[in-house]
Amino acid sequence: MSNEMKFLVVDDFSTMRRIVRGLLKEIGYVNCEEAEDGVEALSMLKAGKFDFVVSDINMPNMTGFELLKAIKEDPALKHLPVLMVTAEARKEDIVLAAQSGAAGYIVKPFTKATLEEKVQKIMQKLAAAA
């Protein structure tokens, strides 16, 4: 089931998108698309069927928090787990991510093990809630 899941990786930095995508592939999630900001991500999410969003926080046009808010306000998308990625582990960011409905939080740079653990934890929570 997990390998069928479709991920959307959102980051304004293409190298970072490639890294996350590569790590997801190594974990076994090969179905992955990319968006370079929240605006592009939102239109992709509305147009296609995705199962999981990994989004950077600091992006131009629409931040990760704005994207998260838009996802959670859309009845068709609000079920989507969103894993937030950031370069700084600021306490207020972590609190805001949790309050805004983020499924999890990860600080760059991170390893495959960290990403895998976070994604699996989120999946387990979703499975339990389903």
Side-chain angles (χ1 to χ4, degrees), residues 36-57:
E36 62 181 348
D37 62 34
V39 178
E40 186 187 6
L42 203 54
S43 66
M44 284 173 74
L45 289 169
K46 285 179 196 259
K49 168 122 181 46
F50 288 89
D51 302 297
F52 203 108
V53 180
V54 180
S55 176
D56 188 31
I57 288 179

